[in-house]
Amino acid sequence: MSEEVSRNINIKEPRWDQGTFTGRAKHFFMVTDPRNVLLSSETLEEARVTVENYRAGIMKPGLTEDELWRAKYIYDSAFHPDTGEKMFVIGRMSAQVPMNMSITGCMLTFYRTTPAVVFWQWVNQSFNAIVNYTNRSGDAPITVNQLGAAYASATTGAVVTALGLKSLATRLPPIISRFVPFAAVAAANCINIPFMRQRELKYGIPVTDENGNRLGESPNAARQAIVQVVVSRIGMAMPAMAIPPVIMNALEKRAFMKVSKLHPCLLYCFVSTEWIYRTY
């Protein structure tokens, strides 16, 4: 049984040591826990009150450390860290696993016709725009014009890339066409992220010393950060979008697939490692 909570817990930081893989894994499993999407408004409000009261030095009688950390992760899953406003539900980190797995499964399944390619690339970029807006920085807010430009450019880039590669893939082995969605997503990330963070490229991002003291803003640090984000986003897409096509190409030749007619989209969602690779 947990004892009553101490007044000296720093709930601004993760509960577990982020210097270890296990600590990072536990933290991100909590952050992306899909069950938080199903929590009621009353539960979210109760968590918000608990966290804000604790920060103000007010503690509910009988509150335990486990309950405080639970409230902290519920609060973080639903409320913006800078503005404190409740975030749109499908833009929350807790919605990323089911949303990304569903959209990825559909993109990898419905790639044979042009209307399907256009539709699912549009759905994916629309979802990305919602996530980017929901998680916008309070220190460097995204304007409506920036959001619109990034959305339009990323959607156009993804669709043009997908259709262009789809056309080329008709003259190549069938498995090649299965990688068209991955190439389109990679191209969209190369366009979308710099557009969304153009303000940082122009004015820089905050730079601090080892004690957390803000020294100023650096455009060079922003460029390095954006390159790293683009590369990591493409790398994160690889397990879910590059591995399943190989598996599905082999499975669809099996007799049980032809007999059961099990929809490929369900298998894509099953074999997707979306939740696991995001712990990195």
Side-chain angles (χ1 to χ4, degrees), residues 117-118 121-122 125-126 148-164 184 187-188 191-192 195:
V117 169
V118 173
Q121 290 296 333
W122 168 75
Q125 294 308 319
S126 297
Y151 171 64
S153 60
T155 303
T156 302
V159 170
V160 169
T161 301
L163 293 180
I191 299 170
N192 187 29
F195 258 98

Side-chain angles (χ1 to χ4, degrees), residues 122-163:
W122 168 75
V123 169
N124 185 49
Q125 294 308 319
S126 297
F127 171 67
N128 287 340
I130 292 172
V131 172
N132 288 331
Y133 179 77
T134 302
N135 295 278
R136 63 196 183 281
S137 172
D139 196 45
I142 303 171
T143 66
V144 175
N145 288 339
Q146 289 174 328
L147 184 67
Y151 171 64
S153 60
T155 303
T156 302
V159 170
V160 169
T161 301
L163 293 180

Side-chain angles (χ1 to χ4, degrees), residues 24 103 121-122 139 177 201-202 223 228:
R24 293 194 300 272
I103 294 173
Q121 290 296 333
W122 168 75
D139 196 45
S177 63
L201 287 171
K202 184 176 181 180
R223 285 191 292 271
Q228 291 174 0

Side-chain angles (χ1 to χ4, degrees), residues 30-225:
M30 288 294 290
V31 169
T32 61
D33 189 344
R35 293 173 298 180
N36 287 341
V37 174
L38 304 176
L39 295 175
S40 66
S41 297
E42 291 75 17
T43 301
L44 296 179
E45 181 62 20
E46 182 180 350
R48 184 188 67 79
V49 171
T50 298
V51 169
E52 292 182 351
N53 282 349
Y54 184 82
R55 288 173 177 171
I58 304 171
M59 291 189 294
K60 182 174 64 175
L63 180 68
T64 66
E65 183 174 342
D66 285 342
E67 290 172 342
L68 175 63
W69 282 112
R70 174 60 179 160
K72 175 254 193 318
Y73 277 105
I74 291 176
Y75 175 84
D76 289 349
S77 76
F79 295 91
H80 194 280
D82 295 330
T83 65
E85 65 181 12
K86 186 183 291 186
M87 297 184 287
F88 186 51
V89 63
I90 66 172
R92 300 173 188 172
M93 288 300 101
S94 51
Q96 296 305 293
V97 174
M99 291 298 299
N100 272 298
M101 289 180 68
S102 300
I103 294 173
T104 297
C106 289
M107 284 195 295
L108 292 172
T109 300
F110 306 112
Y111 65 91
R112 291 184 173 87
T113 67
T114 297
V117 169
V118 173
F119 176 75
W120 286 110
Q121 290 296 333
W122 168 75
V123 169
N124 185 49
Q125 294 308 319
S126 297
F127 171 67
N128 287 340
I130 292 172
V131 172
N132 288 331
Y133 179 77
T134 302
N135 295 278
R136 63 196 183 281
S137 172
D139 196 45
I142 303 171
T143 66
V144 175
N145 288 339
Q146 289 174 328
L147 184 67
Y151 171 64
S153 60
T155 303
T156 302
V159 170
V160 169
T161 301
L163 293 180
L165 292 178
K166 180 177 180 295
S167 177
L168 292 174
T170 57
R171 298 188 291 273
L172 298 172
I175 191 174
I176 300 299
S177 63
R178 292 183 180 274
F179 291 96
V180 168
F182 171 64
V185 168
N189 277 321
C190 292
I191 299 170
N192 187 29
I193 295 169
F195 258 98
M196 293 298 294
R197 301 180 66 172
Q198 58 185 288
R199 187 181 186 280
E200 296 176 19
L201 287 171
K202 184 176 181 180
Y203 298 107
I205 58 175
V207 177
T208 61
D209 61 19
E210 62 275 10
N211 298 318
N213 299 314
R214 187 163 177 164
L215 303 177
E217 287 73 35
S218 170
N220 185 50
R223 285 191 292 271
Q224 293 181 30

